[in-house]
Amino acid sequence: SKYDYEVLYIDKEMLSTNLCNKLQYKNDLDNIFNYILKYFSSNKIGKKYAGIRSPKESKRMINNGFELDDFVPVELFYDDKVKLYLGVTSTGLANIEKGFIISISYLLHYIDENKRDKSVANQERRKKSNIYYPKNLKELDSLLNENFKRI
C-alpha cells in the first residue's frame, strides 16, 4: 500500500445517524486521541471513513492522522504492519482476523445507550478476533501501555 500507518482507525457515522451530540462527540474523540498520540505519531494514523456516506462534518472530527481512500474497501487496509485497529462498532472491526483491536464504544457518550449496547452485542456475535472495550480513559491508557511503547 502507498500508505504508511501503524494505527487503522475505522470510522462509524455517529452524527448524521444521531447517535452522538456533535460537541460531545468531538470532545470524546479529542480525549481518546490524546491517549493514542502518547503511543503513535499522528502521521502513522490512517483513518478509514464509510465512503461517500461520510459527511464532511464527520471527517473533521479527528484532526490527527490522514484519510485513506474512500473507495477502497476497509478490508484491503488490514495489514501485518498495523499495530492497532481502532473503531466503534462495524463490520470493518468485526472482520479483522488478526491484530490488536480496541473499540471506543464505551468512551463515547451515546444519546441512547441501548443503541450502543445492541451494536456491541451484534459486533461480539460476528467478530473473528478478540476486541477490547475499555470502559474509561484510564482503561484505554492501561491497554495501550501494556501493549505498546510510549513515544
Side-chain angles (χ1 to χ4, degrees):
S1 160
K2 63 184 177 190
Y3 299 111
D4 184 25
Y5 50 92
E6 295 178 346
V7 177
L8 179 60
Y9 174 75
I10 303 171
D11 191 60
K12 178 184 178 81
E13 182 46 49
M14 303 296 282
L15 298 180
S16 64
T17 50
N18 271 343
L19 291 173
C20 283
N21 162 282
K22 182 180 168 184
L23 291 174
Q24 180 69 63
Y25 180 53
K26 174 88 177 98
N27 189 50
D28 290 342
L29 287 171
D30 285 346
N31 289 334
I32 290 162
F33 275 87
N34 282 342
Y35 282 94
I36 302 297
L37 292 167
K38 292 179 184 180
Y39 300 90
F40 298 97
S41 73
S42 185
N43 64 355
K44 294 287 188 185
I45 301 172
K47 298 179 291 187
K48 181 69 178 95
Y49 292 95
I52 42 183
R53 292 195 311 262
S54 281
K56 283 189 174 61
E57 180 179 51
S58 296
K59 292 185 173 187
R60 285 197 290 263
M61 289 291 118
I62 300 170
N63 303 322
N64 309 101
F66 56 89
E67 265 182 58
L68 297 166
D69 196 328
D70 269 349
F71 299 98
V72 177
V74 65
E75 287 79 9
L76 295 180
F77 292 109
Y78 300 167
D79 199 288
D80 287 339
K81 72 184 170 194
V82 177
K83 295 179 179 168
L84 171 63
Y85 291 94
L86 193 65
V88 186
T89 52
S90 63
T91 310
L93 276 189
N95 282 340
I96 297 162
E97 290 183 14
K98 61 182 200 312
F100 189 76
I101 312 166
I102 293 178
S103 164
I104 59 172
S105 291
Y106 294 99
L107 305 178
L108 300 173
H109 291 78
Y110 271 71
I111 292 167
D112 178 355
E113 292 186 351
N114 283 327
K115 289 186 179 170
R116 176 200 63 202
D117 296 344
K118 279 186 186 141
S119 248
V120 167
N122 187 29
Q123 175 163 276
E124 280 297 289
R125 275 195 303 276
R126 295 193 322 231
K127 70 179 183 182
K128 296 181 178 172
S129 192
N130 186 43
I131 300 175
Y132 292 95
Y133 296 89
K135 295 292 191 291
N136 53 53
L137 292 168
K138 194 171 183 294
E139 281 187 17
L140 173 66
D141 197 36
S142 296
L143 265 178
L144 293 168
N145 197 34
E146 287 160 18
N147 291 280
F148 307 108
K149 283 193 171 62
R150 284 186 173 235
I151 52 173

